Amino acid sequence: MAVVLHNDSDYKDWLVELKERFYSHRLKASCVTNGYLLEFYWKLGRDIEAQQYTNTYGSGFYKNLSQDLKNEMPEIKGFSPTNLKYMSYFYKLYAPLVANRPQVADDFMEGVYSADIQQSAPHNQNRQQGADDFKLLFMIPWDHHCRIISRCKGNMDKALFFVRKTWENNWGRDALLNWLDSDLYEREARLSPTSNPHFRLCRATWRNK
């Protein structure tokens, strides 16, 4: 399979693009926050899904991509097969936030880091939920995201709940793990208007506009 991949011109061009993109994002990250790194991970997950490499080359794709990225950037950590899978999960889990509003993602990626990222998510309760939830994804550490993704098993609303709680309460990894293993989401969902079917319908309608 590796030979086939290396003979695929589109794959090789994409590999070069990933290398250039990573160094560009890492340079920006040194001046701002881990948001730029998460942006790179989001886009890499998006690329993997869009180009359907996993469907074409099977489960060995991540191992091959991992090795190729390490060969291109031997000094860079974070390209293990497991981490690459999490990037794909990261994109797939939260893609519905911008599925019908791609401009939300594009505008955010281009402009949010020009100001203090911590000021970009309003605290008021009348915010545009989808757009602000998307911004919040880039405000917590990647390691936290991996733990949330693992525990929430494809449940975007539950995952977003813990993303918000992590950012609002500045949870460290241990605190996050403790709350993930509790019934906090279930307890608060019962008390929240978001548990009302009418509210969920309205939220779904907004996302599709």
Side-chain angles (χ1 to χ4, degrees):
M1 183 184 71
V3 174
V4 175
L5 278 172
H6 294 156
N7 288 336
D8 185 325
S9 60
D10 289 338
Y11 176 82
K12 290 191 290 186
D13 290 343
W14 179 57
L15 201 61
V16 172
E17 180 190 346
L18 287 179
K19 178 180 179 179
E20 294 174 351
R21 192 192 303 170
F22 180 85
Y23 281 117
S24 173
H25 283 73
R26 190 179 68 160
L27 178 63
K28 294 175 183 177
S30 66
C31 303
V32 194
T33 69
N34 76 322
Y36 276 108
L37 186 61
L38 293 180
E39 178 190 343
F40 176 83
Y41 288 172
W42 170 269
K43 290 180 177 178
L44 177 49
R46 180 195 61 191
D47 287 356
I48 290 172
E49 290 304 302
Q51 299 185 47
Q52 295 292 298
Y53 280 127
T54 53
N55 291 342
T56 303
Y57 298 108
S59 59
F61 165 74
Y62 289 105
K63 182 178 180 181
N64 279 272
L65 177 59
S66 173
Q67 189 57 56
D68 287 338
L69 288 172
K70 289 175 182 177
N71 289 341
E72 292 290 333
M73 298 175 278
E75 77 281 15
I76 302 302
K77 306 295 182 182
F79 290 136
S80 69
T82 298
N83 214 36
L84 291 171
K85 288 179 183 179
Y86 271 110
M87 295 175 204
S88 180
Y89 300 153
F90 179 55
Y91 174 77
K92 286 192 291 186
L93 180 59
Y94 300 113
L97 289 175
V98 294
N100 297 302
R101 300 188 54 163
Q103 195 62 41
V104 171
D106 293 342
D107 289 348
F108 172 71
M109 296 299 188
E110 290 176 6
V112 74
Y113 299 115
S114 61
D116 182 0
I117 193 169
Q118 295 297 335
Q119 301 301 318
S120 65
H123 290 277
N124 68 75
Q125 296 303 310
N126 297 318
R127 66 190 190 225
Q128 290 186 322
Q129 189 74 38
D132 295 331
D133 283 344
F134 184 73
K135 293 176 183 180
L136 281 175
L137 297 181
F138 301 87
M139 298 180 188
I140 70 171
W142 176 244
D143 191 60
H144 287 55
H145 273 299
C146 292
R147 283 159 171 74
I148 291 171
I149 291 168
S150 293
R151 293 297 205 283
C152 294
K153 305 297 183 186
N155 184 336
M156 186 184 73
D157 286 337
K158 183 176 181 179
L160 285 171
F161 171 85
F162 283 105
V163 169
R164 291 187 214 107
K165 288 294 185 180
T166 296
W167 182 70
E168 291 169 358
N169 298 295
N170 196 28
W171 284 343
R173 285 181 298 178
D174 291 342
L176 173 61
L177 284 173
N178 286 337
W179 287 115
L180 281 167
D181 290 335
S182 73
D183 63 347
L184 178 66
Y185 172 73
E186 289 74 17
R187 284 190 287 111
E188 293 210 6
R190 289 194 293 269
L191 301 175
S192 169
T194 60
S195 62
N196 184 296
H198 176 69
F199 181 93
R200 291 199 299 270
L201 177 61
C202 291
R203 182 174 176 182
T205 301
W206 180 87
R207 284 179 183 167
N208 290 325
K209 288 182 179 179

